[in-house]
């Protein structure tokens, strides 16, 4: 048994989709979440900047003595080469578990992927899917406005601004007759009702936050690092910008008051030497 916390990070609110699922599958675990709200979004940044931010986020969570880190960020997961950096604790991103889930549910082998511009350019999901089945037909679309829309609260199922933008992004994928759509960014499940309305109810939506949470739970279970069942898990949240806007949106999404649990941190203090050694 291991009662240390699970560390989760994302560029902003999106990683809360993974936290929400972790609370379902591992209700006894303590969770520490970092949302880099001061630098969101990551998806339009250079590879070097994304790597710098990711390593700072990881270094911060390590400073809290977490037992595992989940990068609940499609951009980081598709950019960071885990073999190139020293993380020192069990680590997972969202790409592999999400691609595996999509491969298991598709019926016609026509899979769509939506994500940030950086995620789509990386080709990470495409490569992972083709490892599983080289006969998959894969169609990709970057959706750069989805993250700022979510971060600014444009998330109601009938929000006209988000519906118009979703229609613009998703029309091409709909025409390709996909039957499965990967959410390559953990922000996207927050507007899943809008996406489903536009892409069509027959298309199966694969939630990267949920799949990564289940994958992380299995890692802890198989390594016998789950928390004691007699304990009740808790969540603590850290952000790199003002607490108030994050607290308001997080409360809407998690259906609990998190104001007293949110703290602000100066993320620029966390700069691992491995970044300078490997990426400059």
């Amino acid at each position: 048994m291991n009662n240390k916390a699970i560390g989760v990070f994302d560029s902003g609110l999106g990683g809360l989709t993974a936290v929400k699922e972790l609370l379902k599958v591992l209700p006894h675990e303590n969770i520490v979440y970092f949302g880099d709200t001061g630098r969101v979004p990551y998806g339009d940044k250079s590879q070097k900047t994304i790597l710098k931010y990711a390593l700072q986020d990881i270094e911060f969570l390590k400073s809290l003595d977490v037992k595992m880190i989940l990068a609940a960020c499609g951009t980081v997961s598709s950019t960071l080469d885990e073999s190139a950096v020293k993380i020192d604790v069990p680590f997972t991103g969202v790409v592999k578990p999400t691609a595996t889930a999509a491969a298991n549910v598709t019926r016609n082998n026509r899979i769509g992927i939506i994500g940030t511009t950086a995620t789509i350019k990386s080709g990470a999901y495409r490569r992972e899917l083709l490892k599983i089945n080289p006969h998959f037909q894969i169609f990709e679309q970057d959706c750069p406005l989805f993250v700022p829309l979510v971060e600014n609260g444009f998330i109601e199922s009938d929000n006209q601004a988000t519906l118009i933008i979703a229609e613009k992004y998703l029309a091409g994928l709909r025409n390709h007759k996909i039957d499965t759509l990967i959410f390559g960014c953990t922000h996207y499940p927050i507007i899943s009702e809008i996406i489903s309305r536009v892409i069509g109810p027959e298309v199966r939506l694969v939630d990267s936050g949920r799949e990564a949470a289940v994958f992380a739970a299995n890692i802890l279970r198989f390594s016998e690092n789950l928390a004691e069942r007699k304990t009740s898990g808790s969540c603590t949240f850290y952000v790199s910008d003002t607490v108030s806007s994050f607290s308001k949106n997080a409360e809407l999404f998690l259906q609990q008051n998190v104001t007293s649990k949110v703290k602000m941190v100066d993320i620029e203090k966390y700069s691992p030497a491995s970044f300078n050694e490997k990426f400059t």
Side-chain angles (χ1 to χ4, degrees):
M1 296 297 176
N2 187 336
N3 290 331
K4 292 182 180 180
I6 302 169
V8 182
F9 75 90
D10 181 49
S11 61
L13 278 167
L16 293 177
T17 58
V19 171
K20 188 175 183 178
E21 296 301 329
L22 281 170
L23 291 171
K24 291 178 184 177
V25 297
L26 296 174
H28 305 286
E29 296 289 339
N30 297 315
I31 299 169
V32 175
Y33 180 82
F34 173 65
D36 197 0
T37 52
R39 305 187 294 195
V40 64
Y42 284 6
D44 60 2
K45 306 295 192 297
S46 69
Q47 183 183 42
K48 182 178 177 180
T49 298
I50 294 165
L51 290 169
K52 175 187 174 183
Y53 290 178
L55 292 174
Q56 287 180 314
D57 300 347
I58 290 167
E59 198 70 11
F60 167 64
L61 290 174
K62 284 169 58 179
S63 76
L64 300 178
D65 195 28
V66 297
K67 63 183 176 183
M68 179 181 187
I69 295 176
L70 167 56
C73 176
T75 299
V76 169
S77 301
S78 59
T79 304
L80 179 67
D81 180 358
E82 298 170 36
S83 65
V85 296
K86 188 176 182 181
I87 299 177
D88 297 325
V89 295
F91 176 89
T92 186
V94 299
V95 174
K96 184 174 181 178
T98 307
T100 301
N104 287 337
V105 300
T106 184
R107 294 153 295 182
N108 69 1
N109 290 345
R110 300 173 70 86
I111 300 173
I113 305 165
I114 54 175
T116 65
T117 300
T119 294
I120 298 302
K121 282 185 176 179
S122 76
Y125 279 100
R126 173 181 286 273
R127 288 193 298 274
E128 196 65 40
L129 285 166
L130 292 177
K131 284 181 191 175
I132 298 169
N133 185 344
H135 300 294
F136 282 151
Q137 296 182 67
I138 300 167
F139 307 93
E140 299 169 287
Q141 175 64 53
D142 65 331
C143 304
L145 291 178
F146 278 173
V147 170
L149 284 167
V150 169
E151 291 288 328
N152 287 282
F154 291 80
I155 60 176
E156 303 90 351
S157 60
D158 59 351
N159 188 283
Q160 291 303 302
T162 307
L163 275 165
I164 290 168
I165 292 168
E167 177 64 38
K168 178 177 176 60
Y169 285 152
L170 302 176
L173 292 177
R174 190 172 58 223
N175 292 338
H176 285 303
K177 308 297 183 184
I178 62 169
D179 78 340
T180 302
L181 179 63
I182 287 175
F183 287 169
C185 174
T186 50
H187 282 75
Y188 298 176
I190 298 174
I191 54 171
S192 61
E193 289 184 32
I194 290 175
I195 293 171
S196 180
R197 179 174 168 182
V198 173
I199 199 69
E202 71 283 355
V203 176
R204 301 186 185 195
L205 307 180
V206 182
D207 178 340
S208 53
R210 179 185 185 282
E211 300 306 332
V214 171
F215 188 79
N218 286 335
I219 289 175
L220 292 174
R221 188 172 292 113
F222 293 144
S223 63
E224 299 184 347
N225 274 304
L226 292 174
E228 295 177 79
R229 288 190 172 273
K230 65 181 181 181
T231 63
S232 179
S234 64
C235 291
T236 306
F237 305 90
Y238 293 87
V239 293
S240 56
D241 203 353
T242 55
V243 167
S244 57
S245 59
F246 175 89
S247 299
K248 180 181 177 181
N249 288 328
E251 182 176 341
L252 285 172
F253 184 65
L254 294 176
Q255 297 298 301
Q256 59 174 280
N257 189 327
V258 303
T259 302
S260 63
K261 302 175 183 179
V262 184
K263 305 173 185 178
M264 189 171 168
V265 62
D266 182 2
I267 194 62
E268 293 292 348
K269 290 182 178 179
Y270 300 88
S271 297
S274 59
F275 178 80
N276 291 326
E277 291 170 3
K278 295 182 179 295
F279 303 110
T280 58

